[in-house]
Amino acid sequence: MGTVAFDAIETPFGKTDKILGGAATFIALAAAQFEVEAGVVSVVGDDFPDTYLDLLVKKNIDVSGIEIIKGGKTFFWSGKYHNDLNSRDTLTTELNVLADFKPVVPDHFTDSDVVMLGNLHPNIQKEVIEQMEKRPKLIVMDTMNYWMEHTWDELMDVIGKIDVLTINDEEARQLTKEYSLVRAAAEIIKMGPKYVVIKKGEHGALLFHEDHIFFAPALPLEEVFDPTGAGDTFAGGFVGYLAETKNVSFNNLRNAVIHGANLASFCVEEFGTKRIENLNKNEVDKRLYQFKELTQFDIELQ
Amino acid sequence: MGTVAFDAIETPFGKTDKILGGAATFIALAAAQFEVEAGVVSVVGDDFPDTYLDLLVKKNIDVSGIEIIKGGKTFFWSGKYHNDLNSRDTLTTELNVLADFKPVVPDHFTDSDVVMLGNLHPNIQKEVIEQMEKRPKLIVMDTMNYWMEHTWDELMDVIGKIDVLTINDEEARQLTKEYSLVRAAAEIIKMGPKYVVIKKGEHGALLFHEDHIFFAPALPLEEVFDPTGAGDTFAGGFVGYLAETKNVSFNNLRNAVIHGANLASFCVEEFGTKRIENLNKNEVDKRLYQFKELTQFDIELQ
């Protein structure tokens, strides 16, 4: 569940008109890289082109949970990245149909093993959980600073109901008032989740569980073209792998973080969803091998 | 070879009077964690306390290459870290005896397998190389932005004579005019070194060689107390491990980067050299195990 949207993006390398965007779009496209039945719960206006829906359907993504509001306009975001691509200014946010979004989980989604709640109002995230017929094996949730500032109580309520929180480093610090990410993760775990993934953009991602920490680097790239959607692609790879392998042990979550980082490394190579729309298994596996080369060492320990 | 100095440090957690510091001090203390014959080439004034020299000697560090200038004063640096510990202001730099430093490599050092050139004027670094009786198996060199700005030609000359350049991310960008660290490393390799280590502080370190990249994360810590000397401790662990294992293959350099990152993770836990003065093998091995836990995963690839 998350946004399906139009994005207009400007980077030092160029700019786009309105293109396909939204957290749920990136999450679903990444998750669909795995052998899973992926479905999206979202809302768009009737200005949303059939070609975009077809694109998702062709990737075996179930779009029956995407409500189309007659006479409504699709959520629109536009932003401009600074030269280092590490920060951006939001130029436009038009909520449109998202302003009154009441998520409806289709009946055939309500027994899903894995639920990914993209960044949205915590009450919307909670409504999805409440519509599940049985407790999913894993509920993963993303959020951002806005909800900490405006809907603290609602945010705490939903954080108490999930298994994994994904959050970026600055937001983890804001949520916990702890500068150290180790301490921030410990505080978040006290709020409810068993696992915390702290996303550090080009500096990789940390997975925390009890006293354990696992780290997935971002693959060093010659060029980052457009970071839009990288965090959601990471999350989509993470949940897609877990849904495919039906194993939510900490050890398997470690692998899932690597798969997420792997797909995110493709996402940033072109504008929007372009690169992850056109990925083949060979490319994905080859880059997984690079992740192994990047991180594995053979120091023997007694 | 490098500075042996007095440091006075202020962090958000406290401040020190003049304490033992200097690149060569941290490098030697870290290298001496391994089964090696470590020796220092440097210069101090006769204000430098015997207790500091004794401390190094007790760690089996050969100090016969540390020249003591009668009536001279030891190099002094003082700095104050900002709240996030990622940046600092230099308050004082008194070169003192370093202003006229002519390194003299003791005869019994001139057949060393591994030479580590701490950050100093490139001509001083070159003089050390020229005094070696035979080409060391590995020459590693550190530098900083000041030499890029003031002694470009001399810097290029010495970079052409070494095997490994260690440099931080911002300096790698400044040296090459490339923002991408992958491209920056490729440019540095064109300048001469076979290997480049780009240090990213709390974000770890990257080792580059031909088309290969290896990454060592910084161990996520509950608290960083004082980052002074972490980069030099990293370098000392890197060269110490390589000297002990007498193996300068890329695969062994990967292990060396992990050992460097491991020792650096201790360095930041107390002021100055305090923590690495008092390290035992058990603690070091235990933390190496944490590095394995942090980075190793078991995705099978065909």
Side-chain angles (χ1 to χ4, degrees):
Chain A
M1 190 281 296
T3 58
V4 172
F6 292 129
D7 285 350
I9 302 160
E10 187 171 345
T11 79
F13 307 108
K15 60 189 289 185
T16 69
D17 292 328
K18 284 186 180 184
I19 59 172
L20 177 59
T25 308
F26 286 100
I27 290 166
L29 284 170
Q33 287 291 321
F34 299 88
E35 297 288 322
V36 295
E37 296 175 64
V40 176
V41 173
S42 191
V43 64
V44 294
D46 59 9
D47 58 345
F48 194 73
D50 286 343
T51 49
Y52 285 167
L53 289 173
D54 291 346
L55 187 159
L56 298 177
V57 169
K58 268 189 201 134
K59 296 279 168 186
N60 292 318
I61 297 163
D62 187 329
V63 299
S64 60
I66 303 181
E67 190 183 0
I68 301 171
I69 304 287
K70 278 221 167 149
K73 287 182 72 182
T74 301
F75 173 52
F76 172 56
W77 174 84
S78 77
K80 181 178 172 170
Y81 286 89
H82 301 157
N83 273 336
D84 65 2
L85 293 173
N86 282 325
S87 54
R88 68 187 185 191
D89 295 322
T90 289
L91 305 176
T92 317
T93 307
E94 294 175 10
L95 284 181
N96 298 330
V97 294
L98 210 59
D100 303 309
F101 179 37
K102 290 267 167 213
V104 179
V105 179
D107 280 347
H108 62 294
F109 286 10
T110 56
D111 62 347
S112 297
D113 282 339
V114 177
V115 170
M116 172 75 218
L117 304 169
N119 167 49
L120 264 177
H121 193 298
N123 282 351
I124 297 180
Q125 296 178 314
K126 188 168 118 177
E127 284 172 46
V128 170
I129 297 175
E130 287 172 345
Q131 289 175 57
M132 299 307 291
E133 183 187 300
K134 55 168 189 137
R135 175 66 164 79
K137 282 188 193 158
L138 201 74
I139 303 176
V140 183
M141 163 185 159
D142 192 39
T143 191
M144 67 180 293
N145 49 354
Y146 184 86
W147 311 116
M148 301 171 202
E149 290 152 18
H150 296 93
T151 60
W152 178 264
D153 291 343
E154 295 89 334
L155 182 63
M156 285 304 113
D157 185 24
V158 69
I159 285 183
K161 297 179 192 305
I162 61 162
D163 302 300
V164 187
L165 182 69
T166 68
I167 189 169
N168 81 29
D169 44 3
E170 284 318 309
E171 290 161 354
R173 287 173 174 138
Q174 184 174 343
L175 184 63
T176 60
K177 313 272 181 291
E178 289 284 355
Y179 182 81
S180 155
L181 297 180
V182 176
R183 288 195 182 152
E187 287 304 310
I188 292 169
I189 284 174
K190 285 185 200 158
M191 297 171 185
K194 286 193 290 291
Y195 305 98
V196 180
V197 176
I198 297 183
K199 301 176 287 180
K200 303 197 298 171
E202 63 165 330
H203 299 300
L206 288 158
L207 167 68
F208 294 87
H209 172 58
E210 294 171 354
D211 288 338
H212 303 289
I213 313 178
F214 179 68
F215 176 72
L219 198 70
L221 295 171
E222 285 215 3
E223 189 169 280
V224 171
F225 188 80
D226 171 22
T228 309
D232 293 314
T233 301
F234 171 88
F238 179 77
V239 293
Y241 176 76
L242 292 170
E244 177 186 276
T245 53
K246 299 180 193 298
N247 173 347
V248 296
S249 69
F250 178 60
N251 257 346
N252 206 44
L253 263 70
R254 297 158 66 101
N255 296 339
V257 167
I258 294 288
H259 281 282
N262 190 34
L263 293 180
S265 79
F266 288 101
C267 175
V268 301
E269 292 185 331
E270 294 188 39
F271 272 128
T273 59
K274 264 288 157 273
R275 188 71 181 91
I276 52 166
E277 282 172 30
N278 294 297
L279 260 183
N280 66 56
K281 195 162 159 44
N282 249 358
E283 295 172 307
V284 173
D285 283 354
K286 201 170 157 187
R287 204 165 276 188
L288 276 176
Y289 184 82
Q290 285 181 269
F291 269 91
K292 277 218 158 180
E293 244 217 327
L294 185 66
T295 57
Q296 308 301 288
F297 57 89
D298 61 2
I299 296 173
E300 292 298 329
L301 298 171
Q302 279 83 41
Chain B
M1 189 282 295
T3 58
V4 172
F6 293 130
D7 285 349
I9 302 159
E10 188 171 345
T11 78
F13 307 108
K15 59 188 290 185
T16 69
D17 292 328
K18 283 186 180 183
I19 60 172
L20 176 60
T25 307
F26 286 99
I27 292 166
L29 284 170
Q33 287 290 323
F34 299 88
E35 296 289 322
V36 295
E37 297 176 63
V40 176
V41 174
S42 190
V43 64
V44 294
D46 59 9
D47 58 345
F48 194 74
D50 286 343
T51 49
Y52 285 167
L53 289 173
D54 291 346
L55 187 159
L56 298 178
V57 169
K58 267 188 203 138
K59 295 279 169 187
N60 292 317
I61 296 164
D62 187 330
V63 300
S64 60
I66 303 182
E67 191 184 359
I68 301 170
I69 304 287
K70 278 221 167 146
K73 287 181 72 181
T74 300
F75 173 52
F76 172 56
W77 174 85
S78 78
K80 180 177 174 172
Y81 286 86
H82 301 158
N83 273 338
D84 66 3
L85 293 174
N86 281 325
S87 55
R88 67 187 187 192
D89 296 323
T90 289
L91 304 176
T92 317
T93 307
E94 294 175 9
L95 284 181
N96 298 330
V97 295
L98 209 60
D100 303 309
F101 179 36
K102 290 272 167 209
V104 179
V105 179
D107 280 348
H108 62 293
F109 286 11
T110 57
D111 62 346
S112 297
D113 282 340
V114 177
V115 170
M116 173 73 218
L117 304 169
N119 167 48
L120 264 178
H121 192 299
N123 282 350
I124 297 179
Q125 297 177 312
K126 187 166 115 175
E127 282 171 48
V128 170
I129 297 175
E130 287 172 345
Q131 288 174 59
M132 300 307 289
E133 184 187 299
K134 55 167 191 143
R135 175 65 164 75
K137 281 187 192 158
L138 200 74
I139 303 176
V140 183
M141 166 184 157
D142 191 40
T143 192
M144 68 180 289
N145 50 353
Y146 184 87
W147 312 115
M148 299 170 203
E149 288 153 17
H150 295 93
T151 61
W152 179 264
D153 293 342
E154 296 88 335
L155 182 64
M156 285 303 113
D157 185 26
V158 69
I159 286 183
K161 297 178 193 304
I162 62 162
D163 301 300
V164 186
L165 182 69
T166 68
I167 189 169
N168 81 29
D169 45 1
E170 283 318 309
E171 290 162 351
R173 288 174 172 137
Q174 183 173 343
L175 185 63
T176 60
K177 315 272 183 290
E178 289 283 357
Y179 183 79
S180 155
L181 297 180
V182 176
R183 287 194 181 153
E187 288 303 310
I188 292 169
I189 284 174
K190 286 185 198 157
M191 297 171 184
K194 288 193 288 290
Y195 305 97
V196 179
V197 175
I198 297 184
K199 300 175 289 182
K200 304 198 295 171
E202 64 166 327
H203 299 302
L206 287 158
L207 168 67
F208 293 88
H209 173 56
E210 294 171 354
D211 289 340
H212 303 290
I213 314 178
F214 179 69
F215 177 72
L219 198 71
L221 296 170
E222 283 216 6
E223 189 169 278
V224 170
F225 188 80
D226 170 21
T228 310
D232 293 313
T233 301
F234 170 88
F238 179 76
V239 294
Y241 175 77
L242 292 171
E244 177 185 277
T245 52
K246 299 181 195 297
N247 173 347
V248 296
S249 69
F250 177 60
N251 256 345
N252 206 43
L253 262 70
R254 296 158 66 102
N255 296 339
V257 167
I258 294 288
H259 281 283
N262 190 35
L263 292 180
S265 78
F266 289 102
C267 176
V268 302
E269 292 185 333
E270 294 189 39
F271 272 129
T273 59
K274 265 288 157 275
R275 188 70 179 92
I276 52 166
E277 282 171 29
N278 295 299
L279 259 184
N280 67 54
K281 194 161 162 40
N282 247 358
E283 295 173 306
V284 173
D285 283 353
K286 199 168 160 191
R287 203 165 276 191
L288 275 177
Y289 184 80
Q290 285 181 269
F291 269 90
K292 279 218 158 182
E293 245 216 329
L294 186 65
T295 58
Q296 309 299 287
F297 57 89
D298 61 4
I299 297 173
E300 292 299 328
L301 298 172
Q302 280 82 43

